[in-house]
Amino acid sequence: MTLTIFGVSKNAIAAIGLLYLLIICENAQGTKYIVGGRIGWDLDPSVFHWPEGKHFKAGDVLIFKYSNPLYSVEQVNKTQFDSCYSDSNPIKTYDSGHDRVPIAKGTTYFICGVPDYCGYGMRIVINAAA
Ligand SMILES: *[C@@H]1O[C@H](CO)[C@@H](O)[C@H](O)[C@H]1NC(C)=O
């Protein structure tokens, strides 16, 4: 015989409790975003607009997916972002082709390490709330 509480089985309640815990853990780790969505980190003008309308928070994780070594990801400052030129001196470089980048509060700038590709739109600005 299955024990029921208000007509809901104990197993269902346990399942809901587990789901609740999973959601809490997921929130604690932040939301994961695939940069560029379906297109990924690619030589496509839409990538520049990908962050628009999204509400990033500190602790969220950006996942840059691309074919390495064709592209790379450089975290840069505003000057470097505006000029599409890091002068081999970015804040950080990622080149695994599947890079997980946790974001901090504030504004973070990413460009493709290939200057011409950055100029074509392979660069994003992320604004993250606390
Ligand atoms: C950006 O980084 C470059 C290279 O390290 C540096 O020369 C420049 O002053 C920095 N600009 C800002 C606004 O921090």
Side-chain angles (χ1 to χ4, degrees):
M1 192 191 109
T2 313
L3 179 69
T4 61
I5 301 168
F6 303 121
V8 182
S9 86
K10 211 172 80 182
N11 284 347
I13 290 171
I16 290 165
L18 191 62
L19 195 65
Y20 183 67
L21 276 180
L22 283 174
I23 289 166
I24 288 178
C25 292
E26 185 64 25
N27 281 344
Q29 287 179 357
T31 307
K32 295 183 187 69
Y33 293 94
I34 310 277
V35 175
R38 194 175 43 80
I39 291 168
W41 183 239
D42 203 355
L43 189 53
D44 188 291
S46 72
V47 169
F48 179 76
H49 298 285
W50 173 81
E52 289 169 9
K54 297 186 175 61
H55 302 283
F56 300 101
K57 301 182 306 301
D60 285 351
V61 177
L62 302 180
I63 299 172
F64 290 87
K65 292 171 85 167
Y66 53 94
S67 55
N68 146 314
L70 210 50
Y71 309 134
S72 68
V73 181
E74 290 183 349
Q75 186 182 329
V76 295
N77 66 25
K78 186 173 190 315
T79 313
Q80 295 165 323
F81 179 86
D82 289 341
S83 63
C84 274
Y85 185 58
S86 68
D87 199 13
S88 305
N89 202 9
I91 297 165
K92 260 184 198 161
T93 301
Y94 303 89
D95 58 11
S96 77
H98 195 289
D99 313 318
R100 295 170 47 91
V101 182
I103 47 174
K105 174 183 175 237
T107 308
T108 312
Y109 301 91
F110 297 97
I111 65 174
C112 179
V114 184
D116 285 350
Y117 295 173
C118 171
Y120 192 66
M122 252 183 114
R123 56 171 163 170
I124 55 169
V125 183
I126 302 292
N127 287 299

